[in-house]
Amino acid sequence: MARLEIELIPALSDNYIYLLHEPQQGMTAVVDPAEAGPVLEALRRRGSRLDLALITHHHADHIGGLLELKARTGCRAVGPRADAHRIPGLDQLVDEGDRVVLGALTAAVIATPGHTSGHISYWFPEAEALFCADTLFALGCGRLFEGDAPTMWRSLQKLAALPDATRVYCGHEYTLSNARFALTIDPDNPRLRERAAEVEAVRARGEPTIPSTIGLEKATNPFLRAADPAIRRRLGLEQAPDFEVFGEIRRRKDRA
């Protein structure tokens, strides 16, 4: 596995900003800088310059520090072509199938609309790392602010198709509440019960639950498990298409 040093930077109330350092060529990127101050402090501590800012979507809690970072560091900003009109400061516009180079590593851009219409994710296959912001959470998924259930289901299926060992770096620390909700949908899943207990312990210690992995999410995240017969029976949707089952789970989470 190619090296990619990843630092989690907590921001705002529950956001994660990610600082990525590729040591072979010494390049550094930030993913979704919600605010500039914590990023600048991390760069100062590491003695690193900032080369790239990778943006997933237009929400303020993911781009709030971008313009200040550009002004302070001279970094280039990469972001979704579909959201160019809503994200000031983008230098490189990307969409499904495009590539972003960070030193010796290359990220594939995956279009993942649903939470927002222009949401994208960045997958570094050599580093086995996915930065999916508010599409896929640990034990959850994003609200459907600008999309519908079929759209989000297709996006989640793209991510579920990645290798099981892929580490999942999402945009927020929502895992504890997600775990408690997941148990109402899939209560007889022993791996989920085990994971929920682990999450409770980790959060009680004040530690992050991120990253997860694709394999772990497929085994425990109800939003990826719409085809599971036990979940379908519990929801009374045995014959429904997968996206309808997913949509019902999302509606229940919205009301939780």
Side-chain angles (χ1 to χ4, degrees), residues 179-256:
R180 291 168 178 171
F181 171 76
L183 287 170
T184 71
I185 300 296
D186 195 13
D188 298 323
N189 181 337
R191 185 63 189 91
L192 172 58
R193 293 198 304 270
E194 177 186 352
R195 186 179 181 192
E198 292 168 354
V199 168
E200 292 273 0
V202 167
R203 292 309 292 155
R205 297 194 298 268
E207 298 172 359
T209 61
I210 309 303
S212 177
T213 67
I214 291 294
L216 184 56
E217 293 308 311
K218 289 194 297 186
T220 58
N221 186 333
F223 293 98
L224 296 183
R225 294 172 52 76
D228 184 88
I231 290 177
R232 288 169 160 268
R233 284 194 300 272
R234 187 170 186 84
L235 299 179
L237 294 171
E238 288 94 335
Q239 303 305 316
D242 288 347
F243 74 83
E244 288 187 8
V245 179
F246 162 77
E248 176 60 22
I249 297 170
R250 183 63 259 178
R251 283 187 291 273
R252 292 187 182 209
K253 181 65 167 70
D254 291 344
R255 297 193 299 264

Side-chain angles (χ1 to χ4, degrees), residues 6 11 16 20 26 33 56 70 81 88 95 164 173 188 242 246:
I6 303 170
Y16 284 128
L20 317 182
T56 62
K70 289 192 68 177
R81 184 179 304 277
D95 202 346
D164 283 356
E173 182 57 74
D188 298 323
D242 288 347
F246 162 77

Side-chain angles (χ1 to χ4, degrees), residues 22-52:
E22 190 284 295
Q24 185 171 325
Q25 296 186 19
M27 293 190 68
T28 301
V30 65
V31 180
D32 284 355
E35 49 187 341
V39 179
L40 292 168
E41 172 58 26
L43 291 168
R44 184 201 62 77
R45 186 179 66 250
R46 296 177 61 95
S48 299
R49 70 177 188 273
L50 185 63
D51 300 288
L52 289 177

Side-chain angles (χ1 to χ4, degrees), residues 117-159:
S117 58
H119 199 296
I120 60 174
S121 300
Y122 298 90
W123 174 43
F124 288 84
E126 292 178 293
E128 297 183 332
L130 170 71
F131 299 89
C132 53
D134 293 1
T135 297
L136 174 65
F137 292 126
L139 288 172
C141 78
R143 289 179 179 266
L144 308 185
F145 288 129
E146 297 176 11
D148 55 17
T151 299
M152 185 63 129
W153 179 247
R154 287 191 295 269
S155 293
L156 290 172
Q157 291 305 287
K158 291 181 186 179
L159 301 185

